[in-house]
Amino acid sequence: MIKSIIRGTGKFVPPNLVTNKDLEKILDTSDEWIQQRTGIKQRYWVSPEGVTGASDLGFEAAKQALDAAGWTAEDLDFIIFATLSPDIMFPGCGCLMAAKLGLNSTPALDIRQQCTGFLYGFATADAYIKTGLAKKVLLVGGEVHSSGLDKSTRGRDVTVIFGDGAGALCIEGVDTKDCGLLASALHADGNYADSLMTELPASRLPHRNPPGLPLDDPRYFPVMDGPSIFKKAVRLLPKVTKEVLEKAGIGLDEVDLVVPHQANKRINQAFGQFLKLPEDKIFHNIEKYGNTTAASIPLALHEAIEQGRTGKSGETVLFVALGAGLTWGASLYRFL
Ligand code: UT7
């Protein structure tokens, strides 16, 4: 049976390191508050004077993943780019990055599922592979949040958590069994869209940028009802984990490592406690990168493999995420 196998991974963060102490200088926050409430110590933001978009970060991560797989860009027959912070309104980052890779006809699509973008992307890659539409897929999650954040005290709950970065996977359809992407469970509930959103520019308005509205209007920045998302994550992530385990027909004891979306260390710790998972079964790197939304799981997976925490033949990883939309999901992957 054809299964989706990860052949290579890559990651990239811009060089501009921003510590919690740096943020103390621009808004009313403290290193202590950020670390206690989120686990974040630092993040990377693109340099304000640079011209770097999500597709540029994705391009760097993609080159690494291609090298690791031993592929060239020409080997790809499909590209999926997950982002909530595209370089421009349209066309999407998939097309822009494909051009940077030197391609001029490989199909490319963008996924707009925010923190769950990687899970939707992996499931989409798997569907293309299983239906024979593609054999070698590049899946990238890339974000540049920093140029769109409210860097005043008004936006501090969101601004301190988001970081820029990218992660990439090369995925190949291989005739094998009992490994590869074992199962995915995906959900969305747009009734809670306003729990985390950036409202403007908005095509539903007569003028996307309403005339006379100052550019520092809060609707131009991401706004979040953090406590309500936190509660939903703690309730829904264990639930969707049980769902995906049932779909795959395996037990939680067969999961060797959980690589969750890195939104808040406390969310992932509460998730682990609820499922009675040993602490060392959950991978964290939020302290270094903050929340990089669609990039967070592929970036974390790349590091987990680099550190030898996963990646050996037969090892099983669980990916889980919840974010804006609301969207949430889980997937199970077993290494070939
Ligand atoms: O990945 C996308 C999905 N997003 C998430 O999963 C985020 C989920 N939510 C969270 O991670 C947390 O809700 C936050 C980290 C965003 C906030 O932590 P919290 O413990 O829920 O704090 P809170 O929003 O209830 O605010 C507590 C206090 C408030 O002050 P008062 O009203 O108690 O005086 C806030 O104004 O903390 C204040 N506050 C801050 N103080 C210092 C909020 N942000 C900051 C800040 N620095 N950056």
Side-chain angles (χ1 to χ4, degrees):
M1 189 182 181
I2 300 296
K3 307 289 269 198
S4 297
I5 300 291
I6 299 172
R7 292 299 201 189
T9 63
K11 78 154 204 219
F12 184 75
V13 289
N16 181 27
L17 173 67
V18 179
T19 63
N20 293 346
K21 289 271 175 211
D22 293 328
L23 293 181
E24 283 179 6
K25 292 177 204 148
I26 57 170
L27 46 82
D28 182 11
T29 191
S30 68
D31 177 39
E32 192 193 2
W33 189 98
I34 301 170
Q35 286 208 47
Q36 269 179 12
R37 305 276 178 144
T38 69
I40 299 167
K41 294 181 179 165
Q42 59 176 54
R43 73 288 294 139
Y44 294 86
W45 283 356
V46 295
S47 300
E49 57 281 353
V51 282
T52 310
S55 78
D56 298 297
L57 306 189
F59 171 59
E60 298 298 334
K63 282 193 295 188
Q64 261 188 41
L66 287 167
D67 280 351
W71 297 356
T72 65
E74 287 69 28
D75 291 325
L76 298 170
D77 47 29
F78 202 69
I79 291 173
I80 303 174
F81 200 113
T83 187
L84 68 74
S85 52
D87 297 27
I88 49 177
M89 290 283 282
F90 72 88
C93 282
C95 298
L96 303 182
M97 190 192 64
K100 286 172 185 144
L101 286 168
L103 301 173
N104 60 11
S105 74
T106 310
L109 66 76
D110 274 32
I111 298 234
R112 294 287 306 271
Q113 302 317 115
Q114 299 68 246
C115 305
T116 320
F118 169 78
L119 300 180
Y120 273 81
F122 205 174
T124 304
D126 189 49
Y128 270 81
I129 285 169
K130 288 205 171 121
T131 52
L133 283 169
K135 189 160 190 292
K136 290 186 171 176
V137 180
L138 173 65
L139 169 60
V140 176
E143 305 283 4
V144 173
H145 289 295
S146 56
S147 53
L149 295 171
D150 179 352
K151 294 184 185 125
S152 72
T153 296
R154 184 181 62 182
R156 65 183 175 173
D157 56 333
V158 178
T159 298
V160 301
I161 67 173
F162 280 141
D164 302 339
L169 259 60
C170 287
I171 304 165
E172 184 173 14
V174 175
D175 195 358
T176 180
K177 59 177 189 162
D178 301 332
C179 54
L181 186 64
L182 304 179
S184 299
L186 302 173
H187 296 278
D189 185 353
N191 292 299
Y192 296 97
D194 59 3
S195 299
L196 175 50
M197 68 172 178
T198 300
E199 212 179 329
L200 292 175
S203 63
R204 65 185 174 185
L205 299 176
H207 302 279
R208 290 175 189 210
N209 298 297
L213 200 65
L215 284 174
D216 65 352
D217 185 275
R219 283 170 286 175
Y220 281 114
F221 301 104
V223 287
M224 176 171 72
D225 181 351
S228 102
I229 294 189
F230 194 105
K231 284 184 207 134
K232 284 200 173 61
V234 171
R235 187 169 62 82
L236 292 170
L237 293 179
K239 199 172 164 201
V240 77
T241 294
K242 288 182 183 162
E243 182 187 343
V244 81
L245 287 166
E246 263 171 40
K247 271 189 164 182
I250 67 168
L252 188 58
D253 55 333
E254 291 177 69
V255 171
D256 298 293
L257 187 70
V258 182
V259 180
H261 168 49
Q262 309 287 312
N264 186 319
K265 195 169 187 179
R266 287 189 300 135
I267 292 179
N268 292 342
Q269 285 168 334
F271 165 82
Q273 281 158 11
F274 190 89
L275 292 175
K276 300 192 173 50
L277 284 164
E279 274 185 32
D280 65 354
K281 269 205 174 183
I282 304 183
F283 187 81
H284 305 281
N285 65 359
I286 193 169
E287 65 281 1
K288 287 191 284 184
Y289 304 115
N291 177 351
T292 57
T293 55
S296 95
I297 293 181
L299 207 157
L301 177 66
H302 177 85
E303 287 206 332
I305 294 172
E306 235 176 19
Q307 293 168 20
R309 297 277 304 274
T310 191
K312 292 186 200 71
S313 178
E315 281 183 342
T316 304
V317 275
L318 166 72
F319 305 117
V320 277
L322 177 140
L326 286 179
T327 55
W328 66 102
S331 56
L332 281 163
Y333 179 79
R334 185 170 292 150
F335 286 90
L336 180 67

